[in-house]
């Protein structure tokens, strides 16, 4: 997609005229850059229009570098990909982290790199399968980890509970048991649901009941964390200095199954406002849930980076960050 | 955290050509017969501190972003 429609809005936000070049390399880019005066801003066309970008191609990176004296990476959200504009270019020009990148890296370091302890994690969302690396890594780093959302059903099932008609990845039961074992070996206290909210239908306003994990009927589906579970989670927040959160506790898009996520989010926000907790959250669903609770601004940091945030939480080296390291 | 350099370490920026990789993957509304309108400018706002800093130092700031379309990649996984 062309970036041309972004020129006007960007100019408005920055409060300066923004010029536009129809190509990010070659004569069009060169002419536009040569015409610039100190303080000018130019938007170059989408790098993804060139095949060399995603291939991390050296010649393409050379062509980009031809129009610069220094390189600034301000896109943490793209740092998990080794592309020409995030990786190869950093080796061709003096390379710096931009202000947004600095903010993001500093916040993530406070949450997981060098956190104030005890540090509590919340991992929710529906699938264990997409968050295996995350769970395995987090239990080695955190003091406490609460598991919520649909993935908690798989853990309950792995512990021998009948989960009725709930979403559940039954083939991952052994994996869930491995995560439970790993947590024990690493002295990470694991919180699985004490109680759950169930309904026969996942629909707005559907009649909901609170159940113990051991007493779920065949036609019932787990759609949210129960009140005791949320209360214990809030107590765990009270006793922690740092919180890192990825994934909602229930089907927060469909009331009343938003209750667990909303209450936990509001409690974390309150502790942040009181200066008692450093809370960092990330991932698309999580950001949407915090916005729905109206508390995103209260959190210490909310990352909109999606994939890069997740890979960073998994303990992986992000090529775009590694390339800036000195 | 691995140490990295920021613009505070860049020295004199005056007249320097700065290539800035930004993320402008913003949602666009699609109305017939005209360019899309930006419906959430959070990511545009996020570029301001870096661009302001470069401009204050007298650099020539060229941004080149990527965008895959209206939120195509930003929220998955």
């Amino acid at each position: 997609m062309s970036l041309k429609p972004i020129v006007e809005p960007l100019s408005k936000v920055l409060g300066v005229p923004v010029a536009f070049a129809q190509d990010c390399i070659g004569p069009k880019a060169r002419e536009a850059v040569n015409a610039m005066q100190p303080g000018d801003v130019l938007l170059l066309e989408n790098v993804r229009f060139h095949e060399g970008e995603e291939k991390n191609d050296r010649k393409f990176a050379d062509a980009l570098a031809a129009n610069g004296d220094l390189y600034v990476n301000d896109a943490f959200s793209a740092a998990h990909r080794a592309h020409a504009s995030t990786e190869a270019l950093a080796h061709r020009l003096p390379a710096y982290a931009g202000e947004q990148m600095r903010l993001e890296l500093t916040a993530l370091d406070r949450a997981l790199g060098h956190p104030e302890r005890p540090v509590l994690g919340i991992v929710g969302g529906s699938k264990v399968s997409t968050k295996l690396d995350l769970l395995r890594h987090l239990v080695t780093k955190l003091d406490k980890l609460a598991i919520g959302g649909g993935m908690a059903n798989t853990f309950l099932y792995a512990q021998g509970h009948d989960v009725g008609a709930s979403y559940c990845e039954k083939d991952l039961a052994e994996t869930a048991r491995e995560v439970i074992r790993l947590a024990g070996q690493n002295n990470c206290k694991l919180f699985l649901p004490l109680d759950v909210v169930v309904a026969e239908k996942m629909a707005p306003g559907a009649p909901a009941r609170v159940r113990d994990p051991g007493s779920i009927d065949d036609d019932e589906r787990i759609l949210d964390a129960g009140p005791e579970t949320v209360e214990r989670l809030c107590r765990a927040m009270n006793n922690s200095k740092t919180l890192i959160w990825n994934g909602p506790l229930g089907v927060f898009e469909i009331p009343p199954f938003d209750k667990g996520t909303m209450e936990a989010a509001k409690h974390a926000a309150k502790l942040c406002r009181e200066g008692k907790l450093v809370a960092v959250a990330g991932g698309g669903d999580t950001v949407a849930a915090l916005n729905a609770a109206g508390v995103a601004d209260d959190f210490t940091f909310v990352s909109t980076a999606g994939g890069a945030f997740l890979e960073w939480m998994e303990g992986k080296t992000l090529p775009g960050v590694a390339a800036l390291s000195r | 955290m691995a140490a990295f350099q920021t613009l505070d370490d860049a020295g004199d920026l005056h007249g320097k050509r700065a290539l800035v990789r930004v993320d402008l993957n913003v949602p666009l509304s699609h109305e017939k017969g005209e360019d899309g309108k930006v419906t959430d400018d959070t990511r545009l706002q996020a570029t301001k501190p870096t661009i302001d800093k470069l401009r204050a130092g007298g650099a020539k700031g060229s941004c080149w972003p990527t965008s895959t379309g209206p939120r195509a990649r930003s929220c998955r996984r």
Side-chain angles (χ1 to χ4, degrees):
Chain A
M1 186 194 86
S2 171
L3 268 309
K4 194 134 194 293
I6 310 288
V7 173
E8 258 313 301
L10 182 64
S11 170
K12 211 176 272 177
V13 165
L14 295 177
V16 286
V18 173
F20 182 70
Q22 285 171 332
D23 198 350
C24 59
I25 55 168
K28 280 178 184 152
R30 189 174 58 240
E31 279 165 30
V33 170
N34 286 346
M36 293 173 84
Q37 297 299 318
D40 281 358
V41 180
L42 166 73
L43 185 66
L44 296 164
E45 184 57 288
N46 203 336
V47 273
R48 290 218 177 110
F49 284 0
H50 292 270
E51 269 189 8
E53 165 65 358
E54 298 196 9
K55 289 181 178 160
N56 203 12
D57 182 70
R58 295 169 60 174
K59 281 194 180 134
F60 179 63
D62 287 339
L64 287 171
N67 290 313
D69 300 309
L70 60 108
Y71 164 72
V72 182
N73 190 347
D74 212 16
F76 177 79
S77 59
H80 58 314
R81 305 180 193 282
H83 290 173
S85 72
T86 59
E87 210 276 334
L89 188 60
H91 301 295
R92 283 161 173 73
L93 294 172
Y96 305 96
E99 296 302 292
Q100 183 64 24
M101 174 77 93
R102 181 222 297 251
L103 210 66
E104 188 111 18
L105 292 177
T106 307
L108 298 187
D109 192 58
R110 268 181 96 185
L112 201 55
H114 301 88
E116 240 193 290
R117 291 184 180 273
V119 51
L120 163 71
I122 301 175
V123 175
S126 54
K127 289 183 177 177
V128 175
S129 47
T130 56
K131 294 190 179 170
L132 273 179
D133 290 343
L134 178 66
L135 293 169
R136 285 197 187 109
H137 181 65
L138 286 183
V139 294
T140 68
K141 291 277 176 188
L142 304 176
D143 302 299
K144 296 170 263 186
L145 174 61
I147 294 179
M151 70 164 63
N153 304 346
T154 303
F155 279 83
L156 293 176
Y157 175 79
Q159 288 187 315
H161 295 300
D162 192 339
V163 294
S166 305
Y167 177 83
C168 179
E169 292 166 289
K170 293 186 175 171
D171 53 325
L172 289 177
E174 183 45 42
T175 306
R177 285 191 284 269
E178 182 206 330
V179 170
I180 293 172
R181 272 197 302 276
L182 269 177
Q185 285 163 14
N186 288 281
N187 292 320
C188 173
K189 193 163 170 44
L190 209 56
F191 294 132
L192 296 175
L194 294 171
D195 58 352
V196 292
V197 173
V198 303
E200 281 158 33
K201 269 194 199 154
M202 187 163 72
R209 292 175 288 275
V210 175
R211 291 267 194 250
D212 293 332
S215 60
I216 296 161
D217 288 343
D218 287 350
D219 56 354
E220 289 178 334
R221 303 172 65 174
I222 301 173
L223 297 173
D224 196 9
E228 264 188 69
T229 304
V230 176
E231 204 188 305
R232 181 188 52 180
L233 181 57
C234 291
R235 274 203 308 276
M237 288 182 203
N238 294 342
N239 298 324
S240 300
K241 293 266 199 279
T242 305
L243 169 69
I244 183 158
W245 188 342
N246 173 264
L249 300 178
V251 188
F252 77 94
E253 302 94 332
I254 305 178
F257 310 109
D258 58 338
K259 205 171 166 214
T261 305
M262 296 299 122
E263 281 181 12
K266 283 176 183 165
H267 190 73
K270 176 176 160 282
L271 292 172
C272 282
R273 284 196 302 271
E274 292 168 356
K276 293 174 181 164
L277 186 72
V278 169
V280 174
D285 285 349
T286 318
V287 177
L290 296 182
N291 281 331
V295 300
D297 289 343
D298 291 322
F299 270 57
T300 313
F301 190 79
V302 177
S303 174
T304 57
F309 180 81
L310 207 59
E311 288 196 21
W312 175 85
M313 267 182 93
E314 288 166 356
K316 291 181 180 155
T317 299
L318 307 185
V321 175
L324 295 176
S325 300
R326 288 289 180 271
Chain B
M1 178 168 50
F4 53 87
Q5 300 204 73
T6 69
L7 287 173
D8 296 335
D9 306 307
D12 184 13
L13 293 169
H14 194 83
K16 295 255 181 79
R17 298 168 302 164
L19 287 170
V20 191
R21 173 63 158 85
V22 291
D23 178 359
L24 297 186
N25 196 4
V26 291
L28 290 174
S29 69
H30 288 282
E31 284 166 39
K32 271 186 188 167
E34 55 177 276
D35 286 340
K37 284 205 173 71
V38 174
T39 54
D40 175 358
D41 69 358
T42 309
R43 287 210 155 118
L44 303 186
Q45 297 282 359
T47 66
K48 198 170 181 328
T50 293
I51 302 298
D52 282 352
K53 202 158 198 168
L54 287 168
R55 293 187 63 240
K60 305 167 181 177
S62 316
C63 297
W64 82 112
T66 58
S67 171
T68 52
R71 276 283 149 96
R73 284 201 189 185
S74 55
C75 290
R76 286 278 103 198
R77 276 190 65 168

